[in-house]
Amino acid sequence: MFIYQLKETSILRSFITPVGRDDMLDIEIDAYIHCVSAFIKLAQSEYQLLTEIIPEHHQKKTFDSLIQESLDNLMIEGDNIVSAARKAIMRHDYSAVLTIFPILRHLKQTKPEFDQVLQGTAASTKNKLPSLITSMETTGAKALEHFADNIKNNPDKEYNMPKDGTVHELTSNAILFLQQLLDFQETAGAMLASQETSSSASSYSSEFSRRLLSTYICKVLGNLQLNLLSKSKVYEDPALSAIFLLNNYNYILKSLEKSELIQLVAVTQKTAERSYRELIQQQILTYQCSWLKVTDYISDKNLPVFQPGVKLKDKERQVIKERFKGFNDGLEELCKIQKAWAIPDTEQRDNIRHAQKTIVEETYATFLNRYGSVPFTKNPEKYIKYRVEQVGEMIEKLFDTSA
């Protein structure tokens, strides 16, 4: 019986071997979780065996002594994970910090079994797991706080801005991190609650922690929106700035809608979805303003009024020539520039193209119908370069470098 006990103890000890701090992030998360579960099962077996061969009044103390090395190794490994997470925070490697989330969740889930198996051991033994849990919660909460601050303060560097106005890496990284938190909502909420000093936090409920997590996610999204607005000012062209914001707002909204994030956000921000749609619409309108310098040439504004059959004056002919030339040059320039811009969302891209195509085609068709047959030049092909459908075809190629 005693030999079997020693075997079990050696298995326990060999199962949990500390590794170097610098290598902690390379550890399989499942390996540590299995170690925790294995410790509980083996400790339970140890105690059961011990009760059969050790006098009752020596059992607790003996058991405490037997499990110390294995328990210490388990705690050391946990401390190393916390240490590696802290280093990841310093490197702004927040995804790596997520390592502690599944581990912390498992530790909290198995704590009742831990408490039961360690019943009767010294207070210092009983306090080891709660201490590790507190350390992980504090580190996790710190990581969440630093992540939110990093999103807010991410620098505006021209070299780091997408030339085509597509979704910024900061946006995709921020959304990815928030989506990863969805797998650990209760754990993340408890982390945030553990840092609250109010009386309501002392005995927080799942609803309280869910509200805290919702508030946190809204804070990250708010910081991201402010940062994107600041970054958009790096672009010299207001239209490209609008496309950049449109792409990022649209990406955020679609990502929220595709995941449970939108429900979490709605816990504290009921109108978030509507707000993003309004922001997107504002950017579309700002973008459309870039075409005014093209359509203004062919609008009714300041165009000569003439009677059919009456010969045009030189000044009137010149005005018409300038309007056609201005429209042609503006159309060609915008199509060349905006062809290189990007709108990754196919539906959004098609809608914007269609709306712009409709506006320009209708305005040009009216102008062409009014002045296309007017004898304002001996070389009409020089000024009437495009048919209405050709203009539409050019606009259909916007936001497509392959077209």
Side-chain angles (χ1 to χ4, degrees):
M1 296 285 284
F2 190 66
I3 293 174
Y4 181 69
Q5 177 190 351
L6 291 177
K7 276 186 179 180
E8 287 288 76
T9 305
S10 64
I11 291 171
L12 238 173
R13 289 172 179 171
S14 63
F15 205 101
I16 306 165
T17 307
V19 298
R21 287 173 180 255
D22 293 337
D23 299 321
M24 285 316 303
L25 291 183
D26 296 325
I27 291 178
E28 289 288 334
I29 295 172
D30 286 347
Y32 186 73
I33 288 174
H34 288 317
C35 281
V36 172
S37 298
F39 173 83
I40 294 171
K41 297 299 181 187
L42 292 173
Q44 289 169 339
S45 297
E46 286 277 353
Y47 188 74
Q48 183 61 41
L49 183 61
L50 180 144
T51 59
E52 297 175 10
I53 58 176
I54 302 292
E56 186 175 352
H57 61 282
H58 288 306
Q59 287 175 3
K60 300 293 185 184
K61 188 174 182 181
T62 303
F63 179 68
D64 197 338
S65 176
L66 283 172
I67 64 168
Q68 279 305 314
E69 184 178 347
S70 297
L71 180 59
D72 284 345
N73 285 341
L74 192 66
M75 295 302 109
I76 289 170
E77 185 122 339
D79 288 337
N80 285 344
I81 291 171
V82 172
S83 177
R86 286 173 180 155
K87 289 179 181 177
I89 294 172
M90 296 295 289
R91 297 194 306 270
H92 304 299
D93 184 6
Y94 300 103
S95 292
V97 177
L98 289 168
T99 303
I100 68 174
F101 281 69
I103 294 172
L104 177 58
R105 179 173 62 186
H106 187 68
L107 289 178
K108 295 181 83 169
Q109 287 172 344
T110 55
K111 187 177 180 297
E113 289 184 271
F114 249 100
D115 292 343
Q116 186 177 17
V117 80
L118 297 181
Q119 210 171 23
T121 59
S124 59
T125 302
K126 292 177 184 175
N127 289 335
K128 286 181 179 179
L129 180 65
S131 177
L132 178 60
I133 287 175
T134 299
S135 181
M136 284 194 173
E137 281 191 328
T138 302
T139 302
K142 184 179 180 182
L144 294 177
E145 179 188 346
H146 279 235
F147 177 76
D149 289 342
N150 186 62
I151 293 297
K152 182 179 181 179
N153 301 316
N154 187 270
D156 306 331
K157 300 292 186 182
E158 188 173 350
Y159 68 83
N160 200 32
M161 292 294 289
K163 305 289 186 205
D164 57 2
T166 193
V167 178
H168 197 282
E169 185 181 16
L170 180 70
T171 301
S172 55
N173 287 345
I175 294 298
L176 176 61
F177 184 82
L178 294 179
Q179 287 173 334
Q180 288 172 320
L181 285 184
L182 286 175
D183 293 332
F184 311 102
Q185 291 181 45
E186 191 173 333
T187 303
M191 280 179 179
L192 295 167
S194 71
Q195 304 306 300
E196 292 288 310
T197 56
S198 64
S199 57
S200 59
S202 59
S203 56
Y204 61 85
S205 63
S206 58
E207 181 58 30
F208 176 72
S209 61
R210 183 173 169 82
R211 287 189 68 83
L212 281 178
L213 184 56
S214 174
T215 301
Y216 172 77
I217 291 171
C218 290
K219 177 183 177 181
V220 171
L221 293 175
N223 287 352
L224 179 58
Q225 185 178 328
L226 288 172
N227 194 298
L228 290 171
L229 195 57
S230 178
K231 280 180 173 14
S232 70
K233 294 172 183 175
V234 170
Y235 295 112
E236 293 181 3
D237 189 333
L240 181 54
S241 176
I243 291 295
F244 170 75
L245 289 175
L246 181 153
N247 282 328
N248 283 273
Y249 293 155
N250 187 63
Y251 180 87
I252 293 168
L253 177 59
K254 290 294 177 71
S255 298
L256 293 179
E257 291 176 332
K258 287 178 183 175
S259 67
E260 198 183 328
L261 280 172
I262 194 66
Q263 284 86 13
L264 257 180
V265 168
V267 171
T268 53
Q269 292 288 338
K270 305 292 186 187
T271 61
E273 197 169 353
R274 188 181 71 199
S275 296
Y276 274 112
R277 294 194 188 284
E278 289 173 354
L279 286 170
I280 290 167
Q281 190 57 38
Q282 286 172 13
Q283 300 313 316
I284 291 174
L285 293 175
T286 301
Y287 162 74
Q288 289 177 340
C289 287
S290 68
W291 281 86
L292 291 177
K293 61 184 179 184
V294 175
T295 54
D296 274 356
Y297 280 107
I298 53 174
S299 67
D300 291 337
K301 201 166 42 178
N302 299 323
L303 280 172
V305 178
F306 61 91
Q307 299 296 325
V310 178
K311 186 179 180 181
L312 291 176
K313 298 176 182 177
D314 290 345
K315 185 178 179 180
E316 292 173 333
R317 287 198 296 271
Q318 187 60 32
V319 168
I320 297 173
K321 287 178 184 179
E322 288 173 357
R323 292 305 179 92
F324 268 109
K325 185 178 186 306
F327 172 78
N328 294 334
D329 292 348
L331 175 70
E332 290 163 3
E333 180 187 11
L334 273 193
C335 286
K336 180 181 178 181
I337 293 171
Q338 295 184 6
K339 184 180 178 182
W341 296 355
I343 299 180
D345 187 300
T346 306
E347 183 182 359
Q348 191 73 264
R349 182 172 64 240
D350 290 344
N351 288 341
I352 290 172
R353 278 176 179 164
H354 178 73
Q356 201 57 59
K357 176 183 172 182
T358 300
I359 293 169
V360 178
E361 276 188 338
E362 288 180 357
T363 309
Y364 184 58
T366 300
F367 181 78
L368 196 59
N369 185 55
R370 183 176 298 176
Y371 296 102
S373 58
V374 172
F376 66 91
T377 177
K378 294 178 181 179
N379 304 301
E381 67 282 352
K382 179 181 177 181
Y383 297 97
I384 308 175
K385 293 175 67 174
Y386 303 106
R387 300 188 307 276
V388 173
E389 56 269 24
Q390 286 178 308
V391 170
E393 288 169 3
M394 291 171 72
I395 294 174
E396 284 286 352
K397 295 177 182 178
L398 297 177
F399 318 115
D400 186 1
T401 54
S402 64

